[in-house]
Amino acid sequence: MCADKKPSVLVCVTGQYDCDRLIEAGYEEAAAHGWELHVLCIHTPENDISLLGDEMEYLYRTAKELGADMTIAFNKNAPRFAADFARKNNARYMVTGMPDNRPNGFVLTLHELLPRMQITMVTKENECLLYSIENTEQSFA
């Protein structure tokens, strides 16, 4: 992680209006620690995000209102891109959504790439219900 940057919270969103709940959850965590807040939306290069213009603008405004920057990226390997982005921005905590009330490949791969990162997944059904993947690495002396 980039030690010369202030610690941060990274929120990974998709182009959906209800991702505002993720940004708000990330904001609460960042505010509790005095950390920066970053919002990241990754699409594959083939995606036509012009179809998501209103949703992306809404999420951008939500991020701005909460003092965060929002980056939109195009990459075929979203978990690796997000992990690299997290390292570059000294992220200590991540927030994502959770489809179908279970972790998905994106989150599981992120956890493999960043085993020390706490990743919190926020459900669609209950905004207050958080599932966390915490550091499972053990050190042996």
Side-chain angles (χ1 to χ4, degrees), residues 52-114:
L52 304 173
D54 291 339
E55 291 90 337
M56 299 303 281
E57 179 61 29
Y58 171 74
L59 294 173
Y60 175 80
R61 280 194 322 269
T62 301
K64 271 297 192 218
E65 288 170 5
L66 296 175
D69 58 53
M70 181 170 166
T71 300
I72 300 172
F74 295 88
N75 194 287
K76 289 187 180 211
N77 190 335
R80 179 155 310 278
F81 187 92
D84 290 344
F85 190 90
R87 286 185 197 102
K88 288 177 188 171
N89 288 282
N90 199 17
R92 304 282 176 90
Y93 188 94
M94 292 181 78
V95 177
T96 71
M98 183 181 353
D100 303 325
N101 290 325
R102 60 179 165 64
N104 62 13
F106 175 77
V107 173
L108 294 174
T109 303
L110 266 177
H111 185 58
E112 290 173 9
L113 294 170
L114 299 169

Side-chain angles (χ1 to χ4, degrees), residues 105-125:
F106 175 77
V107 173
L108 294 174
T109 303
L110 266 177
H111 185 58
E112 290 173 9
L113 294 170
L114 299 169
R116 300 176 128 191
M117 178 76 62
Q118 181 173 344
I119 303 171
T120 295
M121 296 165 281
V122 181
T123 66
K124 287 186 179 188
E125 291 77 23

Side-chain angles (χ1 to χ4, degrees), residues 2-64:
C2 189
D4 60 334
K5 284 192 168 193
K6 185 175 184 178
S8 69
V9 173
L10 176 59
V11 179
C12 296
V13 300
T14 59
Q16 300 173 37
Y17 285 111
D18 66 354
C19 284
D20 60 353
R21 75 191 190 286
L22 308 178
I23 299 170
E24 290 165 4
Y27 169 77
E28 289 176 16
E29 188 68 26
H33 292 90
W35 295 345
E36 293 183 355
L37 179 62
H38 301 284
V39 178
L40 177 63
C41 185
I42 307 168
H43 292 277
T44 62
E46 298 81 29
N47 281 10
D48 180 5
I49 67 163
S50 67
L51 303 174
L52 304 173
D54 291 339
E55 291 90 337
M56 299 303 281
E57 179 61 29
Y58 171 74
L59 294 173
Y60 175 80
R61 280 194 322 269
T62 301
K64 271 297 192 218

